[in-house]
Structure formats: C-alpha cells, structure tokens
C-alpha cells in the first residue's frame, strides 16, 4: 500500500490517458479514459456519454482509494470517455478511472501498466469485481497491438485464453497501486480449467425406449446442424428425447469455443476459463421476444445467440408468443441476428440447431387411439395458425412422434447409448468440415446455394426421385427442395457415402411430414425406416 499519499516528481496539472474498452453487442471497441486533475473549484465530472453506473463510480472510487491510503484529490477532476459520441455502459471503467486519478494527481507513475488495457469494477472495500466482455477486451488489446490487459482476478482466466498477449489479474486495487509504486508486481494469469459438463451429469439416450424414427431424425439433425420439430401427444417422450441431445453433440473446436465463450462473457454468464461443451438452451414459453432474439438497452444477446454452436430447445412451440416465434425467421435463415436501434445496429451470431416440440391440438390428443380430442375445429385452427408457413418452411425435419408399445417400454434390453450415437455424429461432422473447408460453412445446414451445388452430387436415381417428389407434393418451395438436399447430404455422410443416392433423398423427404400431408396425419408415427414411408410413384 501507499502510506500517507507519497507523491512523485510529476507536474501538478497533468493529463492521464488510460486504454480501456466498451462493449457493442459481443465485440469490444476502444475507449480512452482521459483524466485531467487541475486547479480549480473541487469537483468530479465525467463526460463522454456515461451511463448511471459510470457516474455513480465516483462513490466506489473514493471509498476504494481510501482503503489504500489515498483520497480523491481536492481539485477539479474531469474524466472524458473518448470517443465522446458513443454511449458507455457498465461499471468496468472504475479501475482505469481510479488509476488515471492517481496518475493525474502525480501520486503514481504509469510504468507498470504501460501498454495494458484496463477494466474492472471496484467494490467499496477496494476489491475488484468480475466484469462482462473480458474475452472481447483481450482480443481487442491484441488487435490494437497492446502488450496485454489488466482485469479482475476472477475474470483473468477467461482473458488468458487469448494467445500472444500478457494477462494480469488483480483481486484488490492495493495490488495495482503497489505495482505502480514499485512495492509489488502484477501477477500473470493462467488459463483456467475448461468449463465442461461431465458425461455422468448428462442423461443418456439409452434411457429412451422405442421411438426409433424420432431418434434417427434427431441424430440426422445434430449431425448436419438441421432444425427439427417433433409433433405428438403429451407424455410420449418428445421432451425426454430433446433433453438427451447434449450427450450426442460433438465437442467444440477451439475456434467455436472462443466464439461461444465470447458470447457468454458479453452476457455476464461466462464461467472461469473456456467453454468446451456445446450450449443447450431451453427457455420457458413465457420468454419475451427481446429475451429470445436479443435486445434491451444496451442490446445484449438473447437465447438464440446463447445457443450459438449448440441447441435451442423450445418445448410446446405454439405456446410461445407469436412475435417471439416469428422473430426466429431471420436467425434460422441467416444464422445471425440483427438488432436495429436509433443509434445503430448490432449483428450477433446465431448458428444453432433449433429443436422444438408441439402437440397436434390444444388438448394434445387429436388422432390419439388412447383418448378423445376435446378441441373444437376453430380452436385447432387457431392453435396451428401460430406456426406460420414461412417458419415451418425453415425447419428441415418435421416428424410425428407416436405412442410406444408397452412391450418396448418394459423391455429389459437398453437402447443404443449416447456415446455410440455421438461417435457417428462426430464422424459425419468431420466429413462435412473437410468438404466445406473454405466455403464459409461448418455443417451441411449452413451451406450457401453455391456450396450446395458444388458439394452435393446426386445420383441419377436420386435426381429422378427428387423430380417426382416435386411433382407430387403440392406447395414444395425452392427452399424446401434445398433443405431436402442438405438433409440428404447428412444422411449420406452418416452412411459414409460420397454421393447422395435415392435412399438418402427419400429419407430426407420423409422427415418433412408437413410438406407431405400438412397437419393431418402428424399424430401417426412414421416407420422406423423413414425412407420406406415415401413413395415416388
């Protein structure tokens, strides 16, 4: 600590410049903290479009400095957050402002933190609290050519995941002051233990009895990154199947892990270290459109961005607000979310696998052999109309899920395990990654039209089958045709086939039950071998 406010030989009136940053969506942009301590009427002023937490920082800074034997100078202190035309939010400027005040008053030199980007929220006792966006700040520091960052110790492991920069963590402002005055040194941070979900904590697919067709469809969905809708009466295993998807998801690559951690960091949800397991998000049906898609002031990632590189599960999809459901159109098509505001717009990543479930009617028993439906025709039409045609057209796999026979439920032989399914998924993903390298896509579902034409070769029999499907299925859109080919490409990858054959096309087409029959017949379970249920005659 610095005792008695020892001063160094600095000019009495000087300007301190401290590099820091602010968040815009999930990315950081540079902010220079300019602190001017000069003679005049004592006061503390912050300019540069600060939010309320930044203005209130004066109270936290004063209390924290007093804990290390310092005080806010009895002078005119002016803090400018440059650039001054962009609104700044959050409390991460506490630490750089406090250090700027000490430097501007000639109390401490800046040698120890020269070339470092500073951010951190101060407690009244001087301890440094965790802040949002540390990973984005570290990436920004590297891009700006700075030597590193100084952040709260609780956030340092996250920043340490960025290569080629120095990362220092401090738990208390006294550590920073000691380093500035030469009475101590800043400690380099190390990478933390990756945040992962133990395999023992994830429910296994072997728990699911029967539902062979639904299991196969979800395997295809995860392997190719395709969206899926399961339709069937209550209690037949739709939610049970979806909740076991984390066990068959492939591991994240390092680039994907950095992307995912960056999103969670900007939302204040990142654990210590790198996220290495694909996210699985399951919001309640009462979620608002901004919470689902992203928004707020300032805009923050919603559930679709938090599910980036993972799965977004929407149970009872028609029960979600219509505005929320329709807002999914853009992210499902573009795999990004654009949030427009008067002051500008932000674009957030949203490349996810949407898995949703629905009942065939409000009571759930339409077409069931076990119970009679009590819904009126008008109620059924109103319920189904909540899912618009354009939205359903963006869902690659639409399958009915039927009841399971009692003999299957009571069978002693367990079903296939998640580990075995995951091995096939990983193999299929590896094939896609090699084939799509350089085409701005990682999975078959992400393929652009040009990538689809270049990488999805159909046999002559498959071409003929596709033509017959297009003739016999009324209302099949161009988007639906492309999505059938993408799903067929995934089926071929799981079968280790180079070209897409007739069987793959028929299986992919069987997964679009709404194209074939609309809502009628969705209560009937498709056969275990889905491709046998489609006739091209």
């Amino acid at each position: 600590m610095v005792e008695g406010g020892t001063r160094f030989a600095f000019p009495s009136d000087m300007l301190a410049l401290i590099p820091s940053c602010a968040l815009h969506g999930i990315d950081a942009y540079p902010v220079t903290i300019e602190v001017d301590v000069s003679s005049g009427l004592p006061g503390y002023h912050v300019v540069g479009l600060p939010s309320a937490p930044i203005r209130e920082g004066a109270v936290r800074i004063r209390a924290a400095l007093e804990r290390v034997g310092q005080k806010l100078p009895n002078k005119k202190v002016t803090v400018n957050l440059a650039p001054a035309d962009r609104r700044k939010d959050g409390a991460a400027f506490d630490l750089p402002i406090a250090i700027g005040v000490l430097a501007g008053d000639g109390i401490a030199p800046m040698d120890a933190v020269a070339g470092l980007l500073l951010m951190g929220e101060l407690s009244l006792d001087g301890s440094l609290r965790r802040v949002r966006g540390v990973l984005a700040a570290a990436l920004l520091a590297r891009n700006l050519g700075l030597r590193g960052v100084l952040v709260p110790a609780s956030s340092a492991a996250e920043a340490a995941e960025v290569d080629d920069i120095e990362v220092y963590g401090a738990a208390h402002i006294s550590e920073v002051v000691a380093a500035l005055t030469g009475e101590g040194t800043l400690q380099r941070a190390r990478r933390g233990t990756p945040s992962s979900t133990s395999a023992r904590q994830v429910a296994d697919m072997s728990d699911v009895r029967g539902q062979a067709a639904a299991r196969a469809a979800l395997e295809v969905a995860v392997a190719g990154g395709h969206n899926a809708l399961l339709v069937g009466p209550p209690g037949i295993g739709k939610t049970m199947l979806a909740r076991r998807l984390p066990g068959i998801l492939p591991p994240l690559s390092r680039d994907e892990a950095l992307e995912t951690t960056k999103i969670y960091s900007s939302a204040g949800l990142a654990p210590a270290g790198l996220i290495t397991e694909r996210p699985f998000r399951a919001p309640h049906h009462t979620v608002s459109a901004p919470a689902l898609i992203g928004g707020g002031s300032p805009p923050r990632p919603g559930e679709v961005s938090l599910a980036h590189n993972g799965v977004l599960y929407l149970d009872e999809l028609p029960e979600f607000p219509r505005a929320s459901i329709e807002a999914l159109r853009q992210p499902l098509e573009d795999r990004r979310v654009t949030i427009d505001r008067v002051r500008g717009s932000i674009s957030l990543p949203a490349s996810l696998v949407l898995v949703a479930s629905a009942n065939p009617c409000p009571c759930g028993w339409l077409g069931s052999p076990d119970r009679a439906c009590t819904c009126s025709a008008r109620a059924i039409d109103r319920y189904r109309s909540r899912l618009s045609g354009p939205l359903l057209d963006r869902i690659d796999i639409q399958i009915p899920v039927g009841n399971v026979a009692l003999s299957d439920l009571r069978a002693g032989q367990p079903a296939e395990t998640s580990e075995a399914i995951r091995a096939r998924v990983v193999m299929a993903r590896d094939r896609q990654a090699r084939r799509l390298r350089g085409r701005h896509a990682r999975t078959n579902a992400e393929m652009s039209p040009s990538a689809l034409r270049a990488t999805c070769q159909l046999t002559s029999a498959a071409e003929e089958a596709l033509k017959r499907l297009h003739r016999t299925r009324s209302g099949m859109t161009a988007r639906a045709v492309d999505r059938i080919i993408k799903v067929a490409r995934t089926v071929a990858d799981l079968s280790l086939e180079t070209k897409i054959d007739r069987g793959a096309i028929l299986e992919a087409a069987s997964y679009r039950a709404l194209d074939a029959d609309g809502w009628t017949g969705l209560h009937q379970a498709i056969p275990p071998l889905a491709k046998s249920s489609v006739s091209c005659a």
Side-chain angles (χ1 to χ4, degrees):
M1 290 188 179
V2 179
E3 305 242 348
T6 304
R7 292 179 177 271
F8 292 80
F10 285 96
S12 59
D13 294 337
M14 58 182 299
L15 180 67
L17 304 177
I18 313 293
S20 189
C21 67
L23 284 177
H24 181 68
I26 65 171
D27 298 311
Y29 66 90
V31 174
T32 301
I33 309 296
E34 302 175 346
V35 183
D36 177 58
V37 180
S38 59
S39 302
L41 188 65
Y44 180 91
H45 309 280
V46 183
V47 297
L49 290 182
S51 62
I54 298 175
R55 292 193 298 269
E56 294 168 354
V59 179
R60 297 188 294 271
I61 293 170
R62 182 187 300 275
L65 290 178
E66 288 177 353
R67 290 283 181 174
V68 294
Q70 299 293 337
K71 293 183 178 180
L72 277 177
N74 193 28
K75 297 180 180 180
K76 180 181 178 181
V77 178
T78 304
V79 180
N80 179 43
L81 310 178
D85 60 345
R86 301 184 69 171
R87 185 165 182 79
K88 323 301 186 305
D89 183 67
F93 296 117
D94 286 358
L95 177 61
I97 291 176
I99 300 305
V101 168
L102 295 179
D105 198 29
I107 294 176
M110 297 291 297
D111 296 345
V113 295
L116 296 180
L117 185 149
L118 276 61
M119 61 187 308
E121 177 185 347
L122 286 170
S123 298
L124 296 181
D125 64 356
S127 60
L128 288 166
R129 294 181 179 273
R130 188 184 187 91
V131 293
R132 298 186 298 115
V134 169
L135 181 57
L139 292 169
L140 174 67
R142 185 179 65 181
N143 294 339
L144 293 176
L146 299 175
R147 67 182 177 98
V149 295
L150 171 58
V151 297
S154 55
S155 301
E158 177 186 326
E161 295 295 338
V162 179
D163 298 322
D164 303 324
I165 63 168
E166 302 172 12
V167 177
Y168 299 93
H172 197 276
I173 192 174
S174 61
E175 300 174 22
V176 183
V177 173
L180 293 174
T181 59
E183 299 177 9
T185 57
L186 296 172
Q187 297 298 315
R188 290 284 294 269
R190 297 181 179 179
R191 290 180 178 175
T193 302
S195 172
S196 62
T197 304
S198 171
R200 297 178 182 177
Q201 298 174 326
V202 178
D204 198 274
M205 276 288 188
S206 61
D207 299 333
V208 181
R209 304 301 171 92
Q211 303 298 4
R215 290 166 59 100
L218 289 180
E219 179 180 339
V220 172
V222 171
H226 306 288
N227 305 316
L229 172 64
L230 309 177
V231 181
I236 59 172
K238 302 188 299 294
T239 301
M240 188 178 186
L241 281 164
R243 292 287 181 182
R244 280 153 179 76
L245 289 178
I248 68 173
L249 292 172
L252 285 170
S253 66
R254 178 163 177 81
D255 288 343
E256 290 174 327
L258 285 171
E259 290 176 0
T260 304
T261 306
K262 185 178 176 181
I263 295 170
Y264 276 72
S265 175
S266 68
L269 301 175
L274 200 65
I275 296 175
T276 58
E277 293 291 335
R278 294 185 183 273
F280 180 88
R281 305 291 299 184
H284 191 259
H285 65 77
T286 57
V287 66
S288 65
L292 182 64
I293 304 302
S297 182
R300 293 191 183 182
E303 292 291 337
V304 295
S305 293
L306 294 174
H308 179 65
N309 291 323
V311 172
L312 175 65
Y313 175 51
L314 302 182
D315 195 11
E316 303 296 343
L317 182 61
E319 298 297 336
F320 282 72
R322 179 64 182 267
S324 300
I325 296 176
E326 291 303 309
L328 289 170
R329 290 192 197 181
Q330 185 211 8
L332 292 184
E333 187 70 21
D334 301 337
R335 299 192 173 267
R336 295 196 71 82
V337 173
T338 301
I339 303 173
D340 294 316
R341 292 290 185 268
V342 174
R343 294 182 178 273
S345 64
I346 63 172
S347 181
L348 303 173
S351 184
L352 55 91
V353 176
L354 171 68
V355 177
S357 64
N359 295 325
C361 66
C363 78
W365 299 107
L366 180 64
S368 173
D370 302 321
R371 292 180 59 175
C373 174
T374 60
C375 304
S376 66
R378 183 176 180 180
I380 294 173
D381 289 342
R382 186 166 57 247
Y383 178 80
R384 292 175 174 178
S385 66
R386 296 176 186 175
L387 304 183
S388 67
L391 175 69
L392 292 174
D393 207 28
R394 289 166 167 80
I395 298 179
D396 306 346
I397 297 174
Q398 313 148 358
I399 60 168
V401 183
N403 291 326
V404 180
L406 180 61
S407 58
D408 291 333
L409 286 175
R410 302 300 300 165
Q413 185 66 25
E416 190 176 27
T417 64
S418 294
E419 183 179 359
I421 300 173
R422 190 186 198 195
R424 293 195 297 270
V425 169
V426 171
M427 174 197 65
R429 287 281 183 114
D430 288 343
R431 287 171 60 90
Q432 295 166 56
R434 291 193 298 270
R435 184 173 60 248
L436 297 174
R437 186 174 291 115
R439 299 187 182 275
H440 307 290
R442 294 170 178 164
T443 63
N444 291 330
E446 296 177 356
M447 286 190 293
S448 64
S450 60
L452 184 145
R453 288 190 293 270
T455 62
C456 296
Q457 296 179 325
L458 276 64
T459 64
S460 58
E463 288 283 6
E464 185 62 26
L466 188 61
K467 290 177 183 178
R468 291 182 179 178
L469 281 169
H470 191 265
R471 283 201 308 267
T472 56
R473 287 192 178 183
S474 59
M476 182 182 289
T477 65
R479 180 189 290 119
V481 172
D482 281 353
R483 290 181 181 271
I484 286 176
I485 295 175
K486 290 178 181 180
V487 174
R489 178 65 267 176
T490 301
V491 173
D493 285 333
L494 287 169
S495 302
L496 302 180
E497 297 291 341
T498 303
K499 289 187 177 183
I500 300 172
D501 60 15
R502 181 177 182 273
I505 286 290
L506 296 182
E507 181 171 347
S510 73
Y511 290 147
R512 293 187 66 91
L514 291 176
D515 285 347
D517 305 310
W519 281 89
T520 59
L522 271 174
H523 57 277
Q524 302 171 356
I526 57 178
L529 294 179
K531 58 188 176 185
S532 65
S533 66
V534 178
S535 173
C536 292

